[in-house]
C-alpha cells in the first residue's frame, strides 16, 4: 500500500497491486468508516477511499477535472448534501481551517448528515430548502469561496446562481452536477445539458470547464463556473 | 433614511445603508435562545426580541425597513413600519459576509473557534428540531404503514406459493380447490390427518358447503403420499406464518384507516384509506401530493408507462394507482381515461383541502364526482371504433361534445 499526493492539494491516491484509488486524509483520524468506504492506515495517517461510483465529485476528478476550487482552507456551501457521503470527503479536503455548510432539504436523509456533523467540527448541517437561501443566511456568516451544487431539480442552474448571489462575490466558484434526466426526461441528454450550460451563462456565470461523468453516472455533467 | 434589519445566529441587528450598526440585540452566547429565535422567525412568527427591536427602530423614524427574508417581512406586517423585501440587499450582505464575525470576535475578545463552535451548535440544534418534527409527521407514518402492507403482500405471495406446493405432496387436490391463500393456510394448519377432516370443522373455517364437500371427498381419494406427523408439522409452520402475516396486514389496514380519517378525511371519502395512503406515499407526503397538478396525480404509480410514452411516443397511461378505485376498474375501458381524469381533479382538490384547511368537503366532492361519472357513462355508451393501426397516420381524437344518448338503465356498476 502506497499513498501519493494527487495534484489537487488535500486529495491523495492510494495504490495497491497496481490499482489506484482516490482518497482523502481523514480529518478525524478515526479508523471507523463513515458510510462503508475502505479505510486504510499508512504510517500515522488514516486515509478514506473515495469511490467515483459513490460520489460525483470523485467521478469528476477521476475523469480529468483540470481545476478543483475546493482546497484546504476553503469555505464551501454544499447544496444537496444527502446523507453526507461526498460531504465527508469535502470536509477532509478543506480541513480544520475550512468549513462545509451542508444543506439538505429531506429530513430523513439529513439524519446521516447530522451524524457527520457530530464527528467533524468543520461541518455545519442545515436542513432547509436550497431554493430559498434567505432561510439559512442567519446560519452562514462570513465569506463563501465555493458553492457546490448537487440538487437534481429542473431549475438546478437557478438554484446555484441564487445561492451564489446571496453568499458570494466576484471571483467565487460554483460547481454543479447537472443531471439531464431530472431537467427533461424525454429529450436528448446532451442537448438538455447544453441548454442548462447556456442558462448558467445567461445567469451571469462564467463557465470554466465541463467534465462528463460517464461511465460512473449516466447523462451527468460536472460544470465549474465563476462569478463574473 | 432606510434601516436594514438582519437576523443572524448571534442576534438581531439594525444597520444603516453603509452597514453601520445602529441597534444590536444579542442572543450570543446563549445557544438555546438563539435556536428559539431563529426557529420562530423562520416560521414567520414575531418574537419578543423582534418586538423590542421594532420599538427601537420606530424611534429612529425610518422611511422604511429593509429585510432579506420573506418570513421576517411577514412578522413585521402589523407593526406600522413600512417594510421592503430585497432578496439580496447589499448593506445586509456586506454585514453578513464581512462584518458580523469581526463584531462577534471583538465582543468576546476570544479565539475565533469559540464563535465558530457557537454557530455550529445553533445549526445542529435547529437541524435536530426540524428532523424531530418531520419524524412526527403523521402522513409519513401512514406512508410507512402502506409501504409495509405492499411488502407484506409480496411476502405472503411467496410463502403461500411454497405452502401450496409443499402441501401438494400430501394432498394435491386442495391446491386447485381452494384459491384463497388465507383459507388454504388455515386448512393446512388444521388438518391433522385425513381422518379428522369433517364437514362442520370446514364450515367453521369459512368454506362454502360445496367447497367443504369437495375437500372432504378429495382428501379421501388423493394421489398424495403418506406423510408422517413430523413432516406435516414442518408444513404447518409455514402455513401459520402466512396466517400471521394476514393478521398483521389487517391490523395495519385498520391503523391506516384511522390515520387517514384524521389526516386526510377528504381524500379518504373519495377513494378510501388504502388508495389514499398509496397516493400520499407515492407523492412523498400529503403536502407534496397537494402541490402536484392533477394530471400528475392521475398517473402517480404509472411512472414506467409515463416515461415510456414520453420517450418513445406510445400512448400515455390513463391511470396510476387510482385504477384501484372501483369507479375506474369496473368501468368499460373506453370510459376509464375520462373517469380517471375527473377523479384526479377531485383528488387534487381534496388533497389541498386536507393539507391546508381541514374543512370537510368529502361528501360533496364524492357526489360531484359521481355526477360526472354518470355523465361520462351517458355520453360514451358505445365502444369507439378501433384506431387505425398504420403508423404515421394522425390519431383520431374524440371530440368531447354533448351526446344526446338517453340515460339508459344499463351501464351501471355490476356488483
Amino acid at each position: 500500500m502506497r499513498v501519493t499526493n494527487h495534484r489537487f492539494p488535500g486529495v491523495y491516491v492510494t495504490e495497491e497491486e497496481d490499482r489506484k484509488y482516490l482518497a482523502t486524509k481523514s480529518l478525524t483520524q478515526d479508523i471507523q468508516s463513515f458510510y462503508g468506504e475502505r479505510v486504510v492506515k499508512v504510517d500515522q495517517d488514516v486515509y478514506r477511499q473515495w469511490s467515483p461510483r459513490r460520489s460525483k465529485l470523485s467521478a469528476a476528478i477521476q475523469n480529468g477535472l483540470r481545476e478543483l476550487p475546493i482546497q484546504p482552507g476553503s469555505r464551501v456551501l454544499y447544496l444537496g448534501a444527502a446523507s453526507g457521503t461526498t460531504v465527508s470527503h469535502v470536509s477532509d479536503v478543506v480541513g480544520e481551517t475550512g468549513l462545509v455548510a451542508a444543506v439538505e432539504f429531506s429530513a430523513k436523509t439529513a439524519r446521516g448528515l447530522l451524524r457527520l456533523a457530530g464527528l467533524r467540527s468543520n461541518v455545519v448541517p442545515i436542513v432547509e430548502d436550497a431554493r430559498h437561501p434567505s432561510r439559512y443566511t442567519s446560519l452562514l456568516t462570513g465569506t463563501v469561496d465555493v458553492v457546490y451544487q448537487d440538487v437534481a431539480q429542473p431549475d438546478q442552474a437557478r438554484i446555484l446562481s441564487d445561492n451564489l448571489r446571496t453568499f458570494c462575490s466576484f471571483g467565487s466558484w460554483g460547481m454543479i452536477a447537472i443531471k439531464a434526466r431530472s431537467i427533461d426526461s424525454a429529450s436528448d441528454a446532451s442537448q438538455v445539458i447544453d441548454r442548462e450550460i447556456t442558462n448558467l451563462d445567461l445567469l451571469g456565470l462564467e463557465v470554466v470547464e465541463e467534465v462528463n461523468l460517464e461511465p460512473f453516472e449516466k447523462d451527468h455533467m460536472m460544470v465549474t463556473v465563476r462569478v463574473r | 433614511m432606510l434601516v436594514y434589519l438582519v437576523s443572524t445566529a448571534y442576534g438581531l441587528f439594525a444597520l444603516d445603508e453603509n452597514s453601520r450598526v445602529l441597534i444590536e440585540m444579542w442572543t450570543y452566547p446563549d445557544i438555546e435562545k438563539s435556536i428559539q429565535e431563529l426557529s420562530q422567525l423562520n416560521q414567520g412568527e414575531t418574537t419578543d426580541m423582534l418586538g423590542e427591536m421594532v420599538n427601537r427602530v420606530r424611534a429612529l423614524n425610518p422611511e422604511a425597513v429593509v429585510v432579506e427574508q420573506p418570513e421576517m417581512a411577514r412578522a413585521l406586517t402589523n407593526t406600522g413600519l413600512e417594510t421592503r423585501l430585497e432578496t439580496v440587499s447589499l448593506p445586509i450582505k456586506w454585514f453578513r459576509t464581512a462584518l458580523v464575525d469581526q463584531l462577534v470576535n471583538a465582543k468576546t475578545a476570544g479565539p475565533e473557534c469559540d464563535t465558530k463552535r457557537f454557530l455550529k451548535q445553533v445549526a445542529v440544534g435547529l437541524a435536530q428540531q426540524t428532523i424531530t418534527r418531520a419524524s412526527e409527521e403523521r402522513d409519513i407514518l401512514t406512508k410507512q404503514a402502506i409501504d409495509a402492507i405492499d411488502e407484506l403482500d409480496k411476502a405472503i405471495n411467496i410463502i403461500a406459493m411454497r405452502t401450496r406446493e409443499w402441501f401438494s405432496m400430501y394432498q394435491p387436490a386442495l391446491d386447485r380447490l381452494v384459491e384463497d391463500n388465507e383459507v388454504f393456510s388455515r386448512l393446512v394448519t388444521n388438518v391433522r390427518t385425513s381422518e379428522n377432516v369433517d364437514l362442520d370443522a370446514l364450515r367453521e373455517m369459512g368454506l362454502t358447503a360445496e367447497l367443504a364437500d369437495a375437500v372432504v371427498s378429495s382428501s379421501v381419494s388423493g394421489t398424495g403420499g403418506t406423510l408422517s406427523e413430523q413432516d406435516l408439522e414442518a408444513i404447518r409452520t409455514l402455513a401459520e406464518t402466512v396466517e400471521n402475516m394476514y393478521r398483521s396486514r389487517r391490523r395495519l389496514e385498520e391503523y391506516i384507516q384511522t390515520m387517514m380519517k384524521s389526516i386526510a378525511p377528504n381524500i379518504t371519502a373519495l377513494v378510501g384509506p388504502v388508495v389514499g395512503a398509496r397516493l400520499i406515499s407515492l407523492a412523498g407526503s400529503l403536502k407534496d401530493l397537494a402541490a402536484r397538478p392533477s394530471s400528475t396525480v392521475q398517473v402517480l404509480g404509472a411512472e414506467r408507462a409515463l416515461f415510456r410514452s414520453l420517450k418513445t411516443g406510445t400512448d400515455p397511461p390513463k391511470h396510476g394507482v387510482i385504477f384501484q378505485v372501483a369507479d375506474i376498474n369496473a368501468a368499460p375501458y373506453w370510459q376509464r381515461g375520462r373517469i380517471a381524469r375527473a377523479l384526479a381533479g377531485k383528488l387534487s382538490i381534496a388533497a389541498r383541502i386536507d393539507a391546508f384547511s381541514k374543512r370537510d368537503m368529502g361528501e360533496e366532492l364524492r357526489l360531484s364526482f359521481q355526477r360526472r361519472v354518470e355523465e361520462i357513462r351517458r355520453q360514451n355508451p358505445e365502444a369507439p371504433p378501433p384506431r387505425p393501426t398504420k403508423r404515421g397516420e394522425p390519431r383520431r381524437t374524440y371530440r368531447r361534445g354533448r351526446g344526446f344518448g338517453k340515460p339508459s338503465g344499463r351501464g351501471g356498476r355490476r356488483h
Side-chain angles (χ1 to χ4, degrees):
Chain A
M1 174 69 73
R2 281 180 57 235
V3 178
T4 47
N5 287 340
H6 188 276
R7 60 194 173 85
F8 296 140
V11 182
Y12 300 84
V13 178
T14 61
E15 287 178 58
E16 35 185 347
E17 299 150 26
D18 64 79
R19 295 189 63 180
K20 293 184 173 184
Y21 298 98
L22 285 173
T24 54
K25 193 190 284 188
S26 176
L27 187 78
T28 54
Q29 291 303 308
D30 186 2
I31 50 167
Q32 283 285 312
S33 76
F34 173 67
Y35 60 89
E37 75 282 16
R38 272 207 63 193
V39 180
V40 292
K41 199 162 177 169
V42 179
D43 303 332
Q44 285 313 299
D45 287 314
V46 176
Y47 296 90
R48 299 162 55 242
Q49 278 182 0
W50 191 7
S51 159
R53 307 214 163 274
R54 300 289 305 269
S55 164
K56 289 172 195 165
L57 185 54
S58 168
I61 295 172
Q62 196 94 336
N63 284 355
L65 185 77
R66 285 196 311 275
E67 267 186 288
L68 180 64
I70 297 170
Q71 292 166 357
S74 296
R75 294 169 56 86
V76 181
L77 170 58
Y78 192 117
L79 308 172
S83 44
T85 307
T86 306
V87 178
S88 72
H89 291 286
V90 172
S91 149
D92 283 349
V93 173
V94 302
E96 289 292 358
T97 52
L99 172 95
V100 191
V103 181
E104 172 55 45
F105 189 35
S106 154
K108 216 185 339 183
T109 36
R111 287 196 191 115
L113 192 61
L114 212 56
R115 185 166 65 92
L116 185 73
L119 297 166
R120 288 153 184 268
S121 57
N122 65 1
V123 175
V124 175
I126 298 172
V127 186
E128 277 293 352
D129 187 348
R131 274 205 183 77
H132 305 288
S134 71
R135 286 194 193 151
Y136 45 92
T137 46
S138 6
L139 293 173
L140 186 51
T141 57
T143 50
V144 170
D145 308 314
V146 187
V147 178
Y148 180 94
Q149 205 265 34
D150 185 7
V151 184
Q153 288 291 330
D155 52 347
Q156 270 193 298
R158 201 191 50 76
I159 294 175
L160 175 68
S161 92
D162 282 356
N163 277 276
L164 283 166
R165 272 190 340 133
T166 307
F167 296 102
C168 301
S169 43
F170 174 80
S172 297
W173 297 85
M175 290 185 89
I176 177 168
I178 298 176
K179 179 177 179 180
R181 288 280 155 259
S182 62
I183 295 165
D184 181 341
S185 58
S187 31
D188 175 57
S190 62
Q191 279 178 5
V192 174
I193 287 172
D194 283 349
R195 217 180 317 143
E196 204 61 8
I197 289 172
T198 314
N199 262 343
L200 289 166
D201 195 61
L202 290 174
L203 288 161
L205 300 166
E206 178 196 348
V207 177
V208 179
E209 74 172 301
E210 305 161 19
V211 179
N212 196 323
L213 300 188
E214 293 282 349
F216 307 111
E217 301 277 352
K218 207 172 164 302
D219 302 332
H220 274 69
M221 187 78 84
M222 181 72 76
V223 180
T224 311
V225 297
R226 263 196 115 155
V227 181
R228 278 206 276 266
Chain B
M1 71 162 195
L2 290 173
V3 169
Y4 297 80
L5 260 196
V6 203
S7 140
T8 73
Y10 306 114
L12 274 173
F13 300 89
L15 322 167
D16 67 8
E17 46 269 280
N18 299 319
S19 303
R20 265 197 303 266
V21 180
L22 304 168
I23 304 165
E24 45 190 279
M25 296 178 73
W26 295 85
T27 49
Y28 181 84
D30 185 342
I31 294 168
E32 286 309 312
K33 186 168 181 189
S34 173
I35 291 174
Q36 208 190 337
E37 283 291 320
L38 289 182
S39 80
Q40 281 186 286
L41 282 179
N42 262 349
Q43 288 164 32
E45 294 167 14
T46 318
T47 61
D48 296 349
M49 204 171 187
L50 188 66
E52 197 182 329
M53 177 56 100
V54 166
N55 288 335
R56 289 168 68 177
V57 168
R58 223 186 257 119
L60 300 170
N61 201 10
E63 182 189 329
V65 177
V66 182
V67 294
E68 270 189 335
Q69 292 130 326
E71 295 80 11
M72 178 97 107
R74 210 179 319 141
L76 293 173
T77 37
N78 300 322
T79 54
L81 289 167
E82 189 190 325
T83 312
R84 285 184 204 163
L85 178 67
E86 289 181 14
T87 35
V88 179
S89 149
L90 287 179
I92 295 182
K93 184 175 169 181
W94 174 233
F95 179 79
R96 267 197 289 110
T97 54
L99 302 176
V100 68
D101 286 357
Q102 289 175 23
L103 198 69
V104 184
N105 287 332
K107 184 179 162 75
T108 53
E112 200 181 314
C113 69
D114 202 40
T115 55
K116 210 170 145 181
R117 196 174 316 131
F118 172 82
L119 197 65
K120 171 161 177 175
Q121 279 166 323
V122 171
V124 168
L126 274 172
Q128 270 167 340
Q129 218 178 56
T130 314
I131 292 175
T132 311
R133 230 181 276 135
S135 32
E136 288 163 358
E137 291 285 344
R138 302 183 64 72
D139 51 348
I140 308 297
L141 290 172
T142 315
K143 173 180 158 54
Q144 298 281 9
I146 192 82
D147 292 354
I149 281 195
D150 290 341
E151 278 149 14
L152 268 178
D153 282 342
K154 279 192 197 127
I156 285 174
N157 257 327
I158 294 171
I159 296 182
M161 294 304 280
R162 171 63 54 201
T163 314
R164 281 171 184 277
E165 184 172 338
W166 199 346
F167 193 73
S168 297
M169 317 277 290
Y170 178 58
Q171 283 195 1
L174 199 63
D175 183 17
R176 255 185 323 96
L177 285 172
V178 184
E179 235 171 76
D180 185 302
N181 280 335
E182 198 178 2
V183 176
F184 186 92
S185 308
R186 208 177 299 143
L187 280 172
V188 173
T189 41
N190 287 300
V191 168
R192 294 288 157 218
T193 52
S194 53
E195 284 87 76
N196 86 335
V197 182
D198 72 87
L199 277 173
D200 296 340
L202 291 177
R203 298 288 294 280
E204 267 168 44
M205 287 178 218
L207 266 68
T208 57
E210 231 170 309
L211 242 175
D213 276 339
V215 170
V216 171
S217 57
S218 78
S219 66
V220 176
S221 62
T223 51
T226 325
L227 298 185
S228 71
E229 182 55 29
Q230 202 187 357
D231 298 330
L232 279 173
E233 192 52 47
I235 303 175
R236 263 183 231 130
T237 313
L238 210 53
E240 275 164 21
T241 309
V242 174
E243 283 189 85
N244 278 332
M245 286 203 278
Y246 271 107
R247 261 195 295 277
S248 309
R249 193 187 187 286
R250 268 193 294 275
R251 263 191 249 131
L252 286 175
E253 264 203 36
E254 281 162 25
Y255 169 74
I256 287 173
Q257 189 150 10
T258 48
M259 288 288 272
M260 284 296 289
K261 280 211 171 105
S262 78
I263 59 172
N266 294 292
I267 296 177
T268 309
L270 261 180
V271 294
V274 175
V275 177
R278 285 213 170 93
L279 284 164
I280 289 176
S281 164
L282 284 161
S285 73
L286 179 58
K287 280 206 166 58
D288 284 333
L289 183 64
R292 299 287 164 92
S294 77
S295 54
T296 303
V297 174
Q298 187 180 337
V299 294
L300 273 179
E303 282 73 14
R304 270 182 55 201
L306 177 70
F307 287 118
R308 181 177 356 108
S309 86
L310 289 172
K311 273 207 182 72
T312 62
T314 51
D315 287 356
K318 294 188 287 294
H319 29 54
V321 283
I322 58 171
F323 180 73
Q324 293 163 6
V325 177
D327 298 283
I328 296 177
N329 62 36
Y333 68 91
W334 64 91
Q335 296 172 358
R336 282 178 194 162
R338 290 183 175 87
I339 296 176
R341 182 155 23 90
L343 180 59
K346 295 294 177 233
L347 264 170
S348 279
I349 297 169
R352 284 159 204 184
I353 297 172
D354 283 336
F356 302 109
S357 95
K358 285 280 164 263
R359 268 184 311 162
D360 187 13
M361 306 250 309
E363 226 22 64
E364 278 167 74
L365 287 168
R366 178 88 212 155
L367 280 173
S368 63
F369 168 61
Q370 291 296 8
R371 270 199 300 277
R372 174 72 187 125
V373 171
E374 282 305 317
E375 193 180 18
I376 291 168
R377 283 199 192 121
R378 257 203 325 276
Q379 288 170 357
N380 308 283
E382 297 294 329
R387 275 218 312 249
T389 45
K390 263 177 61 186
R391 296 187 98 168
E393 274 192 35
R395 292 245 177 90
R396 291 185 62 159
T397 47
Y398 294 96
R399 289 232 331 270
R400 293 170 61 195
R402 309 274 323 154
F404 16 67
K406 288 199 302 283
S408 64
R410 292 183 305 104
R413 265 173 56 194
R414 278 166 312 181
H415 290 286

